[in-house]
Amino acid sequence: MRERRVERALAVLTAALLVVSAGAVVATPGDSAEVGQTLSFDAPVPSEYNFAPPPQAGSVTVDDQRYDTLDAALDAATAGDTLRVFGTVEGPVTVDTAGVTITGSAPSKAVITGDGEETVLTVNASNVTIRNVWVRNAGYSTADNDAAVWLDGANPTVASVRVTNTTFGIWVDGATSATVRDSTIVGRESIDRLSDRGNGIQLWEAHDAVVANNTITDVRDGIYFSWSSSVVARNNTMWDLRYGVHYMYSDDNRLANNTAFNNDVGYALMLSDRLTIVNNTAVNNTGSSGHGILVKSIDHTRIAGNNLVGNDNGLFVYNSLDNTIAGNLVLGNDVGIHLTAGSVRERGYGNSFIRNGNAMKAVIGKQVAWNASDGGNYWADANTVDIDHDGISDVRYQAASVLDRITRRHPTTEVFASSPAFDTVRLASRSVPLVETPGVVDHHPLATPPHDNWRRYYE
């Protein structure tokens, strides 16, 4: 009852302020966006690939013995042999000999091509290396998991490989200690629905793997984890996908220094525990979901040092507990962070919330403190007061005020949300709240942003 009375009083106050302050100008923080200024992001990869046609029919050598087909060369090979591919050879083929290397001088000059049916190159043996070849024309069936490369032996390595015209790119099927690095995976853009495509790199029960320096586009999800653990995925670039990276039931993994842009979701973390998500970039991930990082049923995870820029939601946290959200740049998103479904035990500090349409949307049932004692976060729309010049505001900040609750409960009041009067009440209530309302409170907001280079995204 008390809260309803306060809301009614605030509604009356807001209406009065609208009348007396119609011509007022409310001071806004210096980090507010300028009119007409838009985000700028130089993608680290071209927007599309234009590969030259593959070379003509070729051959394979083993110990200087030449074979017309890769199958024949594999039949002749023994452990430790290197099979050198020249030109284009036909698949599908299966590798059952341990310790062999299949390589070319460059992917453009060494091609293993399928016929549009099934998987092109299946590796059933251990310690096999695939390097500097182009694998193309896998089957179209997602139900049968048609892939360009299928790894089903321990310690496989795929390096500097080009994969095109495929459903799944590289499927790691229970293989331990796999390495997939420095490779390019391009799916089938002609298949319009992303859900009808396969994933770029599929990790199923793939433990102790390394996935590094790959570029992935035109598939469903760039890197998909299922029941996989102790995997390091670093320096990968993913775009024009459903999810750049997708975790499901995969604990104790590290995701570092990756870039995901122009996807529906940059990084989708689901139903996993003890992840380390650090120093990644998520830019312009918009669409039906539209999250830079989606956190769903994730616990005991560290999300730190990431750049979340120009997404619908920079970070969306659903039904997740005991996570640390630290040192992230949350810039130019429609909503900086959206907390919901009981996500009330998060620790947040050192984050910079700048130029977001709404820095924080907290749909939770109680008031929680992100930082009860330490230095907090920088909120561009906070009314900071730093009397002792220690860089920490002397007044608290509540990311969602009573007025924000009013607009959620009564959408018709949204028309006044950007008015000078509303801003006046909002700024006051965030620093000196009239009633303790559910949401996130920062007891020690920072006076200046920890990320002093954020303007590079507008240059």
Side-chain angles (χ1 to χ4, degrees):
M1 290 293 294
R2 179 173 179 266
E3 184 176 327
R4 286 199 295 271
R5 287 197 299 271
V6 170
E7 290 185 357
R8 285 197 295 269
L10 282 170
V12 173
L13 174 62
T14 300
L17 284 170
L18 285 172
V19 173
V20 301
S21 306
V25 176
V26 176
T28 56
D31 298 325
S32 299
E34 297 177 6
V35 175
Q37 193 171 22
T38 57
L39 286 165
S40 175
F41 176 65
D42 289 331
V45 292
S47 59
E48 61 180 288
Y49 286 106
N50 292 307
F51 297 128
Q56 299 299 311
S59 60
V60 183
T61 63
V62 182
D63 290 333
D64 296 327
Q65 179 66 45
R66 186 175 297 274
Y67 299 89
D68 291 335
T69 67
L70 183 53
D71 267 332
L74 285 166
D75 288 342
T78 59
D81 281 345
T82 296
L83 292 74
R84 302 186 183 279
V85 178
F86 301 89
T88 298
V89 295
E90 300 293 330
V93 293
T94 299
V95 181
D96 291 318
T97 303
V100 299
T101 296
I102 299 174
T103 187
S105 60
S108 60
K109 299 178 180 179
V111 180
I112 304 170
T113 188
D115 57 5
E117 300 286 341
E118 303 178 342
T119 291
V120 180
L121 179 59
T122 300
V123 177
N124 291 329
S126 61
N127 301 304
V128 171
T129 297
I130 312 297
R131 184 171 57 233
N132 286 333
V133 297
W134 179 357
V135 186
R136 60 192 295 271
N137 286 0
Y140 284 77
S141 176
T142 55
D144 294 330
N145 302 327
D146 291 345
V149 180
W150 185 282
L151 303 176
D152 194 16
N155 305 310
T157 297
V158 175
S160 301
V161 167
R162 177 189 297 170
V163 169
T164 64
N165 198 26
T166 189
T167 299
F168 291 90
I170 299 169
W171 185 298
V172 184
D173 192 62
T176 58
S177 302
T179 298
V180 181
R181 61 176 176 83
D182 304 309
S183 296
T184 297
I185 299 171
V186 182
R188 291 187 169 110
E189 186 181 12
S190 59
I191 298 178
D192 292 331
R193 291 180 55 188
L194 297 181
S195 58
D196 290 338
R197 303 176 185 178
N199 301 315
I201 298 173
Q202 175 94 19
L203 302 166
W204 183 81
E205 292 193 354
H207 309 297
D208 302 304
V210 174
V211 179
N213 302 305
N214 303 288
T215 57
I216 306 170
T217 190
D218 292 337
V219 293
R220 180 172 60 205
D221 298 343
I223 306 172
Y224 183 92
F225 292 73
S226 181
W227 303 102
S228 296
S229 63
S230 301
V231 177
V232 175
R234 64 175 185 268
N235 298 112
N236 302 286
T237 303
M238 299 145 290
W239 72 102
D240 289 346
L241 313 171
R242 183 183 69 168
Y243 305 156
V245 174
H246 189 181
Y247 287 96
M248 292 291 291
Y249 308 106
S250 295
D251 302 336
D252 302 299
N253 294 297
R254 180 179 178 85
L255 186 72
N257 301 104
N258 301 279
T259 300
F261 66 96
N262 293 356
N263 307 298
D264 188 4
V265 175
Y267 309 99
L269 322 178
M270 299 183 183
L271 298 163
S272 302
D273 204 353
R274 299 181 303 277
L275 302 177
T276 301
I277 313 297
V278 293
N279 302 328
N280 302 285
T281 297
V283 176
N284 195 37
N285 296 287
T286 59
S288 57
S289 296
H291 310 303
I293 300 179
L294 166 64
V295 180
K296 183 177 181 180
S297 300
I298 295 289
D299 300 332
H300 310 105
T301 286
R302 180 174 177 81
I303 302 171
N306 304 285
N307 287 353
L308 311 177
V309 181
N311 308 285
D312 287 350
N313 292 296
L315 179 64
F316 183 86
V317 184
Y318 180 95
N319 189 34
S320 299
L321 295 171
D322 302 314
N323 301 300
T324 296
I325 302 169
N328 302 287
L329 172 60
V330 187
L331 171 68
N333 306 282
D334 290 350
V335 176
I337 293 185
H338 186 165
L339 297 178
T340 188
S343 301
V344 295
R345 293 207 308 263
E346 319 302 330
R347 184 167 182 254
Y349 60 90
N351 303 288
S352 297
F353 294 88
I354 302 171
R355 295 190 178 182
N356 301 287
N358 189 356
M360 170 78 73
K361 183 177 182 180
V363 186
I364 52 180
K366 63 180 182 179
Q367 186 177 99
V368 298
W370 267 21
N371 55 317
S373 60
D374 300 332
N377 307 274
Y378 176 77
W379 310 86
D381 60 346
N383 187 20
T384 57
V385 178
D386 184 12
I387 297 174
D388 55 5
H389 304 291
D390 64 351
I392 299 175
S393 177
D394 300 310
V395 295
R396 67 178 230 170
Y397 173 84
Q398 182 162 358
S401 68
V402 172
L403 293 182
D404 298 308
R405 294 192 69 204
I406 291 175
T407 57
R408 287 202 299 270
R409 291 187 179 183
H410 308 287
T412 55
T413 64
E414 186 70 28
V415 68
F416 303 112
S418 299
S419 69
F422 235 83
D423 286 339
T424 300
V425 177
R426 182 181 288 111
L427 286 171
S429 64
R430 283 175 171 173
S431 299
V432 187
L434 299 175
V435 65
E436 296 295 329
T437 58
V440 171
V441 172
D442 190 335
H443 287 283
H444 306 284
L446 303 179
T448 58
H451 302 82
D452 56 4
N453 61 346
W454 61 269
R455 288 181 176 82
R456 73 186 188 277
Y457 284 102
Y458 291 91
E459 295 175 350

